[in-house]
Amino acid sequence: MTAELVRGQNHTLPQTRLEIRVSAGTPVVAGATLGDERGTVHGIEWIAHPGSPQLPGLEVSKQAAADHRLAVDLDAVPAAVHRVTVLLALPMEVGGPVRFGAVAAPFVAVTGLEGTEIATFTLTGLDAESAVAALELYRRQGDWKVRAVGQGYAGGLAAMLADQGVTGAAELARSIHEAVARGMARSVAPPPPRTPEGDRVRHTAGIGEPAPPAAPPAGPAPTRPPAATGPTADSTAGGPTAGPGTGPISYAHPRRQATAPPPPPPTAPPAEPGRPAQPVAGDATGWSMEERLYNQVWGMFEDLARTTAAYRSAVDFAESRMDQELDRALSDPRNRIGGAGDRARQEARAKRDQLTDRAREALDRDLAQLAAESAVVEPALPAAFAAWDNPVWHAYRVPMEIPMALRIGDLHLPENSDLHIPLLVRLPLERGIWVDSGRTASEAAALTDTDRLRRLAMDNAVAHAARLLAVYPAGEFSVHVIDAAGSAAAALAPLVNSGVLAGPPAAGAGGVASVLARLTRRVDLVQMAIRAGAADSLPPDLDTAEQLLIVNDFPHGFDDRAVTQLRYLADEGPSVGVHLLMVADREDASAYGPVLDPLWRSLLRITPVADDHLADPWVGHAWTYEPLGMPAGSRVLEQVLAQVAAARRTGRRP
């Protein structure tokens, strides 16, 4: 069970290999210091920061971002280290906010490697501070514990480092901010605004992926009418609480924010008294219908998360209340024999059933409203947001500009597996994608043989590549393929036969080396041009389109140099338009050990069959990811790729 910490509270850690996940409403710098028994940091070599992101047992992010994942292996830290302090700071040289009081409260979660939350802490109450010691991991009598700190510093990163005994704290803080500013200068800007009136809303990222490094929203959170939520627990008992001395739990996502675009037009008649309003497609804020639909989809996701969390909390509360009543009734030995004990059990169970039934009624009411909204929204989605069976694909035309986001699958919860919410990722892609071809713990994977899983994974990757090609303007997106063993020829046939690939699929060690060298060179040249302010001086043979590299059956055909280049592309490629789409079974690469852990962590993991592996840190749900299926006998994929290929041949660009 997750421990929700408050300032000063601690919690024993059940394991030593951890991830520390940071979520904020604006890009922040994440780092960590190693301290001795008194918390003293003995030099800059005991500090992990974007300019020096790795220490023994510790790895932090290389850039400022709204979301971070810090990798920690407490067994690997030096024996002299007794304290690991996680630091957050606002970048000071990029024109963003200069105090935490102006942004959403940062949220920090300590999780296992599989994503299970161990402890969480929301850093509330910050105001003029621009740096904060969020939490610390410390040794106590042979065990490791986590303590929520939340100590802010108005003097910024320099004051925080000085407080930990770092010599030359001001110079080190300045060098860290300079490194962050250089890193943010290399990042690709978001898509241009749809209209000259203002910027598009940049929402927080979807489930299972980090939020994009964007500027903080300029306005308050939107007032989307939520689903009709019922009581979260027995109203006579005051509702569920997080524990002794705490208040009611809020299931609202704390980072659901937006700028202040115009509200949706009133396209539906007002609802009759006592009846919910009729759902309307585009019923959200936004400058365009695409943006309103995007915001509406994420609003549906958050409504489903909230109402399901309320239902689960109500059921837990009902069970806990029944147990307490039974304990009180049966604590007297005289009630354990005879009719008094039986009556107490019946009354407690009846109250439990009454509370559970009321919670289920509220949940069913909310689910029905969301299902009605989904039935209206799905047919109205543009191609980039739509499933393959949507009629919009039959009217497909090559677009003139890239959309806000791309649908890569659906999400649902066990309370209603028929209610699917589109999983949208922002474009341009800000992290690679890993289609896991290995056998997972899901029931669907258990019923599928290994060869079938691998084929489904590659089919899934080809479909994603086709969608990316389809939503970009002609000539603005190139796809490369590494199929070292040549085992994916059948799955790759739609891409190969249509002629949309940048070149034939690379086979063998030589083909792997050639493709990686070419893409690595592109990353290096673009980064150097951006740093030098000479983007117009790139070689004429350099393809300036966004690049996607599909890798099948990794690590087959990869030597140590190729693995290093692949890791480099995963880390540095997205900021300059080079993206990875890997089809791999992690067990096949187990010989590399922890060397590849940063690679897997940098990619968004999806599966070729339904699997409940996507964790929602806000309410603790495990969402089931469902890949987008192609309708049986459909030729829509071939038809879409044929139009993309024809547009490329004619050289039509926006």
Side-chain angles (χ1 to χ4, degrees):
M1 185 174 179
T2 304
E4 298 180 1
L5 304 181
V6 297
R7 275 185 177 85
Q9 188 176 1
N10 60 49
H11 182 72
T12 301
L13 295 172
Q15 60 199 81
T16 56
R17 297 191 67 186
L18 308 164
E19 276 192 352
I20 298 175
R21 303 184 179 186
V22 179
S23 298
T26 187
V28 296
V29 181
T33 61
L34 305 180
D36 60 15
E37 291 179 331
R38 292 181 295 179
T40 302
V41 179
H42 289 280
I44 60 174
E45 66 276 6
W46 280 35
I47 304 173
H49 56 83
S52 178
Q54 291 182 327
L55 292 177
L58 180 63
E59 182 175 0
V60 303
S61 305
K62 296 180 180 179
Q63 294 187 13
D67 276 27
H68 293 271
R69 291 189 179 189
L70 284 63
V72 180
D73 185 353
L74 296 173
D75 289 334
V77 301
V81 173
H82 286 258
R83 189 177 301 178
V84 179
T85 304
V86 177
L87 315 176
L88 304 178
L90 293 170
M92 291 290 104
E93 300 181 13
V94 296
V98 296
R99 60 187 187 92
F100 275 109
V103 300
F107 174 84
V108 183
V110 180
T111 76
L113 296 183
E114 72 286 352
T116 302
E117 288 186 352
I118 299 170
T120 63
F121 175 39
T122 302
L123 284 77
T124 57
L126 299 176
D127 187 12
E129 299 89 344
S130 60
V132 59
L135 53 79
E136 63 182 13
L137 315 177
Y138 64 97
R139 298 183 198 258
R140 179 60 55 86
Q141 297 178 349
D143 293 328
W144 283 93
K145 295 186 175 183
V146 57
R147 177 186 291 119
V149 180
Q151 175 63 53
Y153 294 84
L157 189 57
M160 181 166 54
L161 294 174
D163 191 43
Q164 297 189 30
V166 178
T167 304
E171 292 78 7
L172 177 59
R174 184 164 53 252
S175 68
I176 292 173
H177 285 306
E178 289 173 353
V180 170
R182 289 193 299 270
M184 296 186 74
R186 293 195 301 268
S187 56
V188 176
R194 291 289 185 185
T195 64
E197 285 80 5
D199 292 335
R200 301 189 299 193
V201 176
R202 192 172 183 91
H203 263 238
T204 56
I207 184 83
E209 66 169 309
T223 56
R224 162 185 162 85
T229 53
T232 59
D234 180 22
S235 56
T236 62
T241 60
T246 62
I249 300 172
S250 170
Y251 295 103
H253 283 233
R255 288 194 300 138
R256 186 170 182 193
Q257 304 177 37
T259 56
T267 56
E272 298 179 13
R275 299 185 63 181
Q278 293 298 313
V280 177
D283 186 17
T285 58
W287 296 105
S288 65
M289 177 56 80
E290 179 194 44
E291 187 178 15
R292 292 199 296 269
L293 287 169
Y294 174 85
N295 292 341
Q296 186 173 16
V297 166
W298 281 112
M300 292 164 59
F301 164 77
E302 293 174 0
D303 285 345
L304 179 56
R306 181 177 61 251
T307 191
T308 304
Y311 167 71
R312 293 179 181 179
S313 177
V315 172
D316 290 343
F317 174 79
E319 294 285 349
S320 174
R321 173 171 163 171
M322 181 187 71
D323 292 341
Q324 293 174 5
E325 291 181 351
L326 287 176
D327 288 342
R328 287 195 298 268
L330 301 180
S331 60
D332 186 347
R334 292 172 297 180
N335 291 337
R336 298 177 188 175
I337 303 175
D342 293 338
R343 285 193 300 274
R345 292 186 184 91
Q346 292 175 358
E347 291 174 359
R349 288 168 182 159
K351 291 180 181 178
R352 186 272 314 274
D353 293 342
Q354 181 183 18
L355 292 176
T356 302
D357 291 343
R358 289 172 56 190
R360 186 70 210 194
E361 289 176 4
L363 175 67
D364 289 342
R365 186 167 60 249
D366 292 350
L367 293 179
Q369 183 175 340
L370 285 169
E373 186 174 11
S374 177
V376 171
V377 169
E378 278 285 355
L381 293 177
F385 300 178
W388 285 114
D389 59 357
N390 193 309
V392 71
W393 284 106
H394 296 286
Y396 168 77
R397 294 293 181 269
V398 176
M400 303 298 286
E401 61 180 2
I402 68 170
M404 295 182 64
L406 181 76
R407 185 173 184 169
I408 62 169
D410 290 337
L411 300 173
H412 61 83
L413 292 170
E415 280 75 8
N416 188 340
S417 59
D418 294 329
L419 178 57
H420 287 203
I421 306 296
L423 174 57
L424 305 178
V425 296
R426 289 301 298 260
L427 292 179
L429 293 174
E430 292 168 350
R431 64 189 301 199
I433 296 175
W434 164 31
V435 184
D436 190 352
S437 60
R439 186 171 298 281
T440 63
S442 71
E443 180 181 357
L447 297 175
T448 310
D449 64 70
T450 302
D451 292 339
R452 173 70 173 161
L453 277 176
R454 293 180 184 272
R455 173 58 193 267
L456 288 174
M458 196 59 200
D459 288 342
N460 196 258
V462 168
H464 289 312
R467 291 177 76 89
L468 284 164
L469 284 164
V471 302
Y472 270 78
E476 294 294 324
F477 198 85
S478 296
V479 177
H480 310 261
V481 176
I482 290 178
D483 184 21
S487 60
L492 290 169
L495 298 177
V496 174
N497 296 339
S498 61
V500 295
L501 294 179
V512 171
S514 175
V515 172
L516 291 177
R518 187 162 61 251
L519 292 177
T520 301
R521 171 179 175 268
R522 184 193 185 281
V523 172
D524 291 339
L525 289 175
V526 175
Q527 284 187 340
M528 288 189 292
I530 293 175
R531 293 190 192 109
D536 56 348
S537 300
L538 291 169
D541 64 333
L542 189 76
D543 185 2
T544 57
E546 296 276 314
Q547 309 287 313
L548 177 71
L549 174 59
I550 303 176
V551 180
N552 182 45
D553 274 351
F554 175 81
H556 185 85
F558 282 72
D559 56 19
D560 290 345
R561 175 179 172 80
V563 169
T564 301
Q565 289 177 314
L566 192 69
R567 284 192 56 186
Y568 176 73
L569 292 178
D571 292 339
E572 303 293 338
S575 65
V576 290
V578 178
H579 314 284
L580 288 184
L581 177 52
M582 292 187 57
V583 179
D585 180 357
R586 191 167 182 173
E587 290 300 318
D588 293 343
S590 59
Y592 286 94
V595 172
L596 290 180
D597 284 353
L599 173 64
W600 304 121
R601 285 197 300 268
S602 70
L603 304 174
L604 170 62
R605 175 176 172 258
I606 59 177
T607 51
V609 294
D611 189 85
D612 60 347
H613 67 281
L614 292 178
D616 184 347
W618 299 116
V619 288
H621 299 331
W623 291 82
T624 296
Y625 168 81
E626 189 94 31
L628 295 174
M630 194 68 63
S634 173
R635 300 282 301 170
V636 66
L637 182 65
E638 289 78 4
Q639 294 168 1
V640 168
L641 290 176
Q643 289 201 43
V644 172
R648 289 166 65 106
R649 286 193 298 269
T650 58
R652 181 165 68 84
R653 284 177 175 262

